[in-house]
Amino acid sequence: QVQLVESGGGLVQAGGSLRVSCAASGSGLSINVMGWFRQGPGKEREQRELVATITRDGGTNYADSVKGRFTISRDNAKNTVYLQMNSLKPADTAVYYCNAVTVFARRYWGQGIQVTVSS
């Protein structure tokens, strides 16, 4: 079982920066891919969109909408993933969810953290 705890969200003006973190814990951690998804205002869970993912060996993938503005990184020793968000836009306002996929293909979600970008 994997528990994911996000931190670092909040309110920022357009053009500003925020960093969110997600720490994984649990017995027998065998996490392969970690990442971030977001669910915009009024959207359903099924409409969560991929923001960025990172594999254990550092391979990254980004949504087109955040390329060049967001950077995902990972500390395997701490089982923690980070998302540095720069040049934030009001359209980035959402609840951001941490996601982890184990080597056994089990997927886990964090509780979500609010990021609000004011215009």
Side-chain angles (χ1 to χ4, degrees), residues 49-100:
E49 59 175 359
L50 171 73
V51 177
T53 61
I54 185 167
T55 64
R56 189 169 184 82
D57 61 4
T60 59
N61 180 49
Y62 294 93
D64 287 343
S65 59
V66 306
K67 282 180 181 176
R69 300 188 298 123
F70 291 11
T71 301
I72 190 169
S73 60
R74 179 172 174 172
D75 186 333
N76 289 330
K78 296 181 179 179
N79 291 309
T80 299
V81 64
Y82 307 94
L83 185 68
Q84 177 67 43
M85 301 181 287
N86 299 328
S87 301
L88 281 160
K89 307 174 182 179
D92 295 316
T93 294
V95 177
Y96 283 69
Y97 291 90
C98 180
N99 176 265

Side-chain angles (χ1 to χ4, degrees), residues 7-77:
S7 60
L11 173 65
V12 65
Q13 288 190 327
S17 298
L18 275 178
R19 189 176 83 153
V20 290
S21 303
C22 171
S25 62
S27 60
L29 290 180
S30 302
I31 297 174
N32 182 15
V33 181
M34 297 190 79
W36 293 92
F37 288 69
R38 65 187 182 187
Q39 186 171 338
K43 297 289 183 66
E44 300 293 330
R45 178 188 174 105
E46 294 73 22
Q47 296 172 291
R48 285 182 191 175
E49 59 175 359
L50 171 73
V51 177
T53 61
I54 185 167
T55 64
R56 189 169 184 82
D57 61 4
T60 59
N61 180 49
Y62 294 93
D64 287 343
S65 59
V66 306
K67 282 180 181 176
R69 300 188 298 123
F70 291 11
T71 301
I72 190 169
S73 60
R74 179 172 174 172
D75 186 333
N76 289 330

